[in-house]
Short mmCIF file of all heavy atoms in Angstrom, two decimals:
data_model
loop_
_atom_site.label_atom_id
_atom_site.label_comp_id
_atom_site.label_asym_id
_atom_site.label_seq_id
_atom_site.Cartn_x
_atom_site.Cartn_y
_atom_site.Cartn_z
N ARG I 841 -19.36 -9.82 11.47
CA ARG I 841 -19.25 -11.26 11.59
C ARG I 841 -17.93 -11.59 12.26
O ARG I 841 -16.89 -11.06 11.88
CB ARG I 841 -19.28 -11.89 10.18
CG ARG I 841 -20.05 -13.18 10.08
CD ARG I 841 -20.46 -13.42 8.64
NE ARG I 841 -19.31 -13.26 7.74
CZ ARG I 841 -18.70 -14.28 7.15
NH1 ARG I 841 -19.14 -15.50 7.30
NH2 ARG I 841 -17.67 -14.08 6.36
N CYS I 842 -17.95 -12.43 13.26
CA CYS I 842 -16.71 -12.82 13.93
C CYS I 842 -15.82 -13.53 12.91
O CYS I 842 -16.25 -14.49 12.26
CB CYS I 842 -16.99 -13.76 15.09
SG CYS I 842 -15.46 -14.40 15.85
N TYR I 843 -14.59 -13.06 12.78
CA TYR I 843 -13.74 -13.68 11.75
C TYR I 843 -13.10 -14.98 12.23
O TYR I 843 -12.42 -15.64 11.46
CB TYR I 843 -12.70 -12.70 11.21
CG TYR I 843 -11.68 -12.13 12.16
CD1 TYR I 843 -10.58 -12.90 12.56
CD2 TYR I 843 -11.78 -10.83 12.62
CE1 TYR I 843 -9.62 -12.38 13.40
CE2 TYR I 843 -10.82 -10.30 13.48
CZ TYR I 843 -9.75 -11.08 13.86
OH TYR I 843 -8.81 -10.56 14.70
N HIS I 844 -13.35 -15.34 13.52
CA HIS I 844 -12.90 -16.66 13.97
C HIS I 844 -14.00 -17.70 13.78
O HIS I 844 -13.80 -18.72 13.16
CB HIS I 844 -12.49 -16.61 15.45
CG HIS I 844 -11.26 -15.82 15.69
ND1 HIS I 844 -10.07 -16.06 15.04
CD2 HIS I 844 -11.02 -14.78 16.53
CE1 HIS I 844 -9.15 -15.21 15.46
NE2 HIS I 844 -9.70 -14.42 16.36
N CYS I 845 -15.19 -17.41 14.33
CA CYS I 845 -16.23 -18.44 14.27
C CYS I 845 -17.31 -18.14 13.23
O CYS I 845 -18.24 -18.93 13.07
CB CYS I 845 -16.83 -18.67 15.65
SG CYS I 845 -17.47 -17.20 16.45
N HIS I 846 -17.15 -17.03 12.49
CA HIS I 846 -18.01 -16.70 11.36
C HIS I 846 -19.48 -16.51 11.70
O HIS I 846 -20.35 -16.60 10.85
CB HIS I 846 -17.87 -17.75 10.24
CG HIS I 846 -16.43 -17.98 9.85
ND1 HIS I 846 -15.68 -17.03 9.23
CD2 HIS I 846 -15.60 -19.02 10.08
CE1 HIS I 846 -14.46 -17.49 9.06
NE2 HIS I 846 -14.38 -18.68 9.58
N LYS I 847 -19.76 -16.26 12.96
CA LYS I 847 -21.15 -15.98 13.36
C LYS I 847 -21.42 -14.50 13.23
O LYS I 847 -20.54 -13.68 13.47
CB LYS I 847 -21.33 -16.37 14.84
CG LYS I 847 -21.80 -17.78 15.04
CD LYS I 847 -22.24 -17.96 16.48
CE LYS I 847 -21.92 -19.35 16.95
NZ LYS I 847 -21.19 -19.44 18.19
N LEU I 849 -22.53 -11.17 14.60
CA LEU I 849 -22.50 -10.71 16.00
C LEU I 849 -23.43 -9.52 16.18
O LEU I 849 -23.61 -8.70 15.29
CB LEU I 849 -21.07 -10.29 16.37
CG LEU I 849 -19.98 -11.33 16.17
CD1 LEU I 849 -18.64 -10.74 16.59
CD2 LEU I 849 -20.28 -12.60 16.94
N TYR I 868 -20.09 -8.03 19.69
CA TYR I 868 -19.65 -8.91 20.77
C TYR I 868 -19.83 -10.38 20.38
O TYR I 868 -20.93 -10.81 20.02
CB TYR I 868 -20.43 -8.60 22.05
CG TYR I 868 -19.99 -9.44 23.23
CD1 TYR I 868 -18.71 -9.23 23.80
CD2 TYR I 868 -20.79 -10.44 23.73
CE1 TYR I 868 -18.29 -10.01 24.86
CE2 TYR I 868 -20.37 -11.22 24.81
CZ TYR I 868 -19.12 -10.99 25.36
OH TYR I 868 -18.69 -11.77 26.40
N CYS I 869 -18.74 -11.14 20.49
CA CYS I 869 -18.79 -12.58 20.28
C CYS I 869 -18.64 -13.24 21.64
O CYS I 869 -17.70 -12.91 22.38
CB CYS I 869 -17.68 -13.03 19.34
SG CYS I 869 -17.58 -14.83 19.19
N GLU I 870 -19.54 -14.17 21.96
CA GLU I 870 -19.49 -14.82 23.28
C GLU I 870 -18.20 -15.59 23.48
O GLU I 870 -17.72 -15.75 24.61
CB GLU I 870 -20.69 -15.74 23.45
CG GLU I 870 -21.95 -14.93 23.70
CD GLU I 870 -23.17 -15.82 23.92
OE1 GLU I 870 -23.01 -17.06 23.92
OE2 GLU I 870 -24.26 -15.26 24.10
N LYS I 871 -17.67 -16.08 22.39
CA LYS I 871 -16.45 -16.88 22.48
C LYS I 871 -15.20 -16.01 22.44
O LYS I 871 -14.21 -16.29 23.12
CB LYS I 871 -16.43 -17.84 21.30
CG LYS I 871 -16.12 -19.26 21.66
CD LYS I 871 -16.27 -20.07 20.41
CE LYS I 871 -15.80 -21.49 20.54
NZ LYS I 871 -16.10 -22.18 19.28
N HIS I 872 -15.21 -14.94 21.63
CA HIS I 872 -13.97 -14.21 21.33
C HIS I 872 -13.92 -12.78 21.85
O HIS I 872 -12.89 -12.14 21.74
CB HIS I 872 -13.71 -14.25 19.83
CG HIS I 872 -13.54 -15.63 19.30
ND1 HIS I 872 -14.53 -16.28 18.60
CD2 HIS I 872 -12.51 -16.50 19.44
CE1 HIS I 872 -14.11 -17.51 18.29
NE2 HIS I 872 -12.91 -17.67 18.79
N GLY I 873 -15.04 -12.30 22.37
CA GLY I 873 -15.02 -10.97 22.97
C GLY I 873 -15.44 -9.85 22.04
O GLY I 873 -16.17 -10.08 21.07
N MET I 875 -15.34 -7.20 19.20
CA MET I 875 -14.70 -7.02 17.89
C MET I 875 -15.04 -5.65 17.33
O MET I 875 -16.20 -5.29 17.17
CB MET I 875 -15.16 -8.11 16.91
CG MET I 875 -14.36 -8.13 15.64
SD MET I 875 -15.04 -9.24 14.37
CE MET I 875 -16.36 -8.22 13.71
N PHE I 897 -10.09 -7.67 17.48
CA PHE I 897 -10.64 -7.81 18.81
C PHE I 897 -9.99 -6.79 19.77
O PHE I 897 -8.79 -6.55 19.68
CB PHE I 897 -10.48 -9.25 19.30
CG PHE I 897 -11.49 -10.13 18.62
CD1 PHE I 897 -11.18 -10.75 17.41
CD2 PHE I 897 -12.77 -10.24 19.12
CE1 PHE I 897 -12.14 -11.49 16.74
CE2 PHE I 897 -13.74 -10.98 18.47
CZ PHE I 897 -13.41 -11.61 17.28
ZN1 LIG P 806 -16.20 -15.63 17.54
#
Side-chain angles (χ1 to χ4, degrees):
R841 218 158 50 107
C842 174
Y843 62 78
H844 291 306
C845 55
H846 307 292
K847 268 193 214 128
L849 305 180
Y868 182 70
C869 174
E870 285 183 2
K871 229 175 171 175
H872 299 103
M875 190 188 80
F897 285 90

